[in-house]
Every structure is written in structure tokens, then in C-alpha cells.
Amino acid sequence: MAAKLIKGTEIREQILEEITSDVKQIKEKHGVVPGLVTILVGANPASISYVTLKIKTAHRVGFTEIQDSQPETITEAQLLALIDKYNKDESINGILVQLPLPKHIDEKKVLNAIDPDKDVDGFHPVNVGRLMIGGKEVKFPPCTPAGIQEMIVRAGVETSGAEVVVVGRSNIVGKPIANMMLQKGKGANSTVTIVHTGTKDLATHCKRADILIVAAGVPGLVKPEWIKPGACVIDVGVNRVGEKVSEKTGQKIAILRGDVDFDAAKEIAGSITPVPGGVGPMTITMLMLNTLKALKYKLGIE
Ligand code: NAP
């Protein structure tokens, strides 16, 4: 294998250690710790497992965490009132509403009701605007793109002047990471191209990339011959391609594949993220970092 593996599982541990140490120091100096509330509506099993993991991680790094579970029957007005309550709660620095919400609730209205200074997911239009402006304006970069950028930086990949090609233009991955990589500053300053289903020649664009970020949700979309030798390849795709029995638990688990043909690509790339264990573990980690930042902004120490 030629490529260096960029392991999200390892980087996550480093960052969580750093957050834990910061939380201890803030507690000693200021007598407070970050507070995170996760609002879960209904009992979607996938949502329950995401929320459980977020709460567990928040607990591990020393935050106070509230898991506020609401019935599927909650009205939009009741949910908005709940958000208003947490917006006003001084002990809460981050508010996270687990999606999807039931069909009778307007998700956009709910997300827009969160105080932008507690919007640790970074999806509020105010934070999307701040990200676009860049520099010191940025408060909460959305978690998956922030994780991607952190991985590139910690892997020691040069971004300044690099050709970055992003496959996919979603609001949660493609557009924000492209925007982050083109900003002037550390871990960015790149020349960025975004490609999508309307792009005429995907392969030619990908072949130019010093850093290729793929977030399409199509297993094996990126062929090894599209990868420039020595490039950094960040595979965001998480695609269920089958099931297998876990050796550890004996239970059926999903077989996951990325958007890149990993086995062949690792022989050409300079560095590459695996799936699973690559970008995946970074998202919750960056949510914790954003919650810590929210408290630091409030205390005027960031
Ligand atoms: P999405 O909203 O479905 O967007 C996919 C994007 O890829 C769209 O812009 C689409 O183009 C483009 N695309 C799809 N097929 C393509 C093709 N054949 N050629 C060129 N472009 C193509 O997906 P998403 O939410 O960004 O997620 C993308 C992948 O990342 C998924 O596998 C998802 O599970 C994964 N993901 C992982 C994490 C994590 O690990 N933490 C977080 C978020 C997402 P159009 O705009 O033209 O349709």
C-alpha cells in the first residue's frame, strides 16, 4: 500500500483529549463547563443511536448534557417554545435538534429558531453566511466539513495553492467544504472546483486534484485512474452495500463502502481516508468542538 491512511478514529481521540483538557481548565478558571442539549422527537432507531453517541461523547469530555426526548405528537408550536426555552437558558451553549423531524413539523422553521450563537451544527442561515464571509466571522463551521478540513491539516497535507476538487454540492458537505477550502488562511487558500451531476467530464476534473474530496453517496463512483498520483483523497461517502455477521457480537451489521474504490485508490494516492473509520468519527467530534467554542465565545476567551 502506497498511501498513508488518514484515520478519523485516531484524530478523534486526539481532539477529544484536547477538548477534555480545555474543559478542565475553563472549569478551574471560570467555574463553568459547556452545556449541550439534544432534542429528539419520536423514536426513530437511527436517531436514538446518533443522539446516544452524542450524549456519551459530551459526557466523556466533561460537558453537562441534557437529552430532551419529546413524543412524535409534539406540535410545531410546542417544539418552537422548547427551543425558545433553551435559547434563554444560560447553562446551555449548544442546541442540537436531531433530524429528521415528523412530517407535521417544518424542519427549516425549527432550525431557524435556534439562536445562531447556540447553533453548534452550523446550519442556521446566519452561520452559513458567516462561513461564506470567512475569517474571524466564522463561528460554527458545519461539523462534517470541519472534520474534513481538520483531517487534511492534521495529515500534514499542503492546502495553500493546492487544486481541490469536491465531488458533490450538498448544503451539509459539498458546498461548505468547498467554501472553507477557498478562504484565505491556514488549512485553506486552495483553488477549488465543485463537480456534480451536471458536470460534463468528471474524470478530467478529478485527475487534476491535489486534494480530492468525494461526497456523492455513490459507491465506487471515483475510479482509481481518476486519482492523481500522490493526491490526498477524502472519501466522505457512506454507502450500505450489504450485511455481514459481526465477529464481536454475532449480530448482523451493515457492510459500508465509500464513494472511492479504496483498494485500488490506496496504491495511487499519497494519503486516503478509509470507510468506515475515516470521516465518519469526525462529525460528532467537531460538534463537541463547536459546543466548547460556543462557551469560549460567551466567556470572551476565543
Ligand atoms: P446528497 O445531499 O445526496 O448530495 C450528493 C451530491 O453528489 C449532489 O450534489 C449530487 O449532485 C452529487 N452526485 C451524486 N451522484 C453523482 C454523480 N454520479 N456524479 C457527480 N455528482 C454526483 O449527499 P450528502 O448529504 O452530501 O452526502 C454524501 C455522502 O456522504 C453520502 O454517502 C452520505 O452518507 C455521506 N455523509 C457522511 C457523513 C459522515 O461521515 N459524517 C456526513 C454527511 C454525509 P446533484 O447536486 O447534481 O444532484
Side-chain angles (χ1 to χ4, degrees):
M1 165 165 173
K4 170 183 165 186
L5 262 192
I6 308 176
K7 293 184 186 164
T9 40
E10 283 179 11
I11 298 173
R12 168 185 62 193
E13 293 309 306
Q14 291 166 13
I15 297 174
L16 291 180
E17 285 303 313
E18 290 162 16
I19 295 174
T20 308
S21 150
D22 264 21
V23 170
K24 270 190 198 144
Q25 283 184 25
I26 292 174
K27 192 176 178 183
E28 278 166 23
K29 270 195 186 163
H30 301 273
V32 283
V33 297
L36 175 69
V37 59
T38 50
I39 302 173
L40 174 69
V41 178
N44 176 328
S47 295
I48 293 174
S49 90
Y50 288 138
V51 164
T52 307
L53 195 55
K54 286 168 187 173
I55 289 293
K56 211 172 129 189
T57 312
H59 186 71
R60 173 184 160 180
V61 294
F63 294 178
T64 54
E65 15 72 27
I66 299 174
Q67 182 175 348
D68 192 331
S69 296
Q70 295 292 331
E72 183 95 17
T73 50
I74 189 172
T75 65
E76 188 178 283
Q78 285 169 330
L79 188 54
L80 290 172
L82 193 65
I83 288 171
D84 187 48
K85 181 185 99 172
Y86 288 121
N87 279 343
K88 290 175 179 147
D89 186 334
E90 288 292 320
S91 69
I92 295 297
N93 304 103
I95 302 173
L96 186 132
V97 178
Q98 186 63 45
L99 302 178
L101 292 171
K103 286 199 169 52
H104 66 275
I105 297 176
D106 181 347
E107 269 183 14
K108 212 168 157 187
K109 207 168 170 183
V110 169
L111 294 183
N112 290 357
I114 297 172
D115 178 345
D117 290 337
K118 295 189 178 188
D119 168 43
V120 285
D121 253 341
F123 293 149
H124 192 288
V126 167
N127 284 316
V128 176
R130 285 169 169 166
L131 193 78
M132 188 73 170
I133 296 166
K136 287 200 166 21
E137 287 291 325
V138 182
K139 293 248 172 179
F140 307 114
C143 301
T144 302
I148 294 169
Q149 191 179 36
E150 195 66 37
M151 293 179 100
I152 295 171
V153 170
R154 290 193 187 226
V157 175
E158 180 57 80
T159 59
S160 186
E163 290 281 344
V164 171
V165 175
V166 179
V167 184
R169 56 178 162 189
S170 71
N171 287 329
I172 62 164
V173 189
K175 279 188 216 160
I177 188 61
N179 184 33
M180 289 161 77
M181 297 308 294
L182 65 78
Q183 300 291 343
K184 209 164 188 169
K186 193 175 157 271
N189 208 27
S190 310
T191 303
V192 180
T193 306
I194 308 182
V195 296
H196 43 74
T197 58
T199 300
K200 279 187 189 141
D201 186 353
L202 214 58
T204 302
H205 287 288
C206 292
K207 279 180 197 168
R208 276 192 295 109
D210 299 312
I211 301 172
L212 180 60
I213 301 169
V214 192
V218 180
L221 173 69
V222 171
K223 309 290 174 257
E225 59 273 22
W226 297 7
I227 294 167
K228 182 174 173 179
C232 168
V233 178
I234 306 288
D235 189 353
V236 191
V238 180
N239 307 291
R240 286 167 186 261
V241 294
E243 274 186 344
K244 63 178 179 185
V245 175
S246 159
E247 284 176 19
K248 257 191 197 167
T249 63
Q251 297 206 322
K252 274 189 183 173
I253 52 166
I255 301 173
L256 301 177
R257 291 273 182 278
D259 290 349
V260 178
D261 176 354
F262 177 80
D263 288 333
K266 73 181 191 309
E267 303 302 330
I268 303 162
S271 52
I272 188 166
T273 58
V275 177
V279 176
M282 296 299 291
T283 302
I284 292 182
T285 307
M286 300 317 280
L287 176 73
M288 299 303 135
L289 197 58
N290 275 349
T291 308
L292 173 64
K293 277 185 191 168
L295 176 61
K296 285 183 169 180
Y297 293 137
K298 192 177 164 203
L299 295 171
I301 55 172
E302 174 92 353

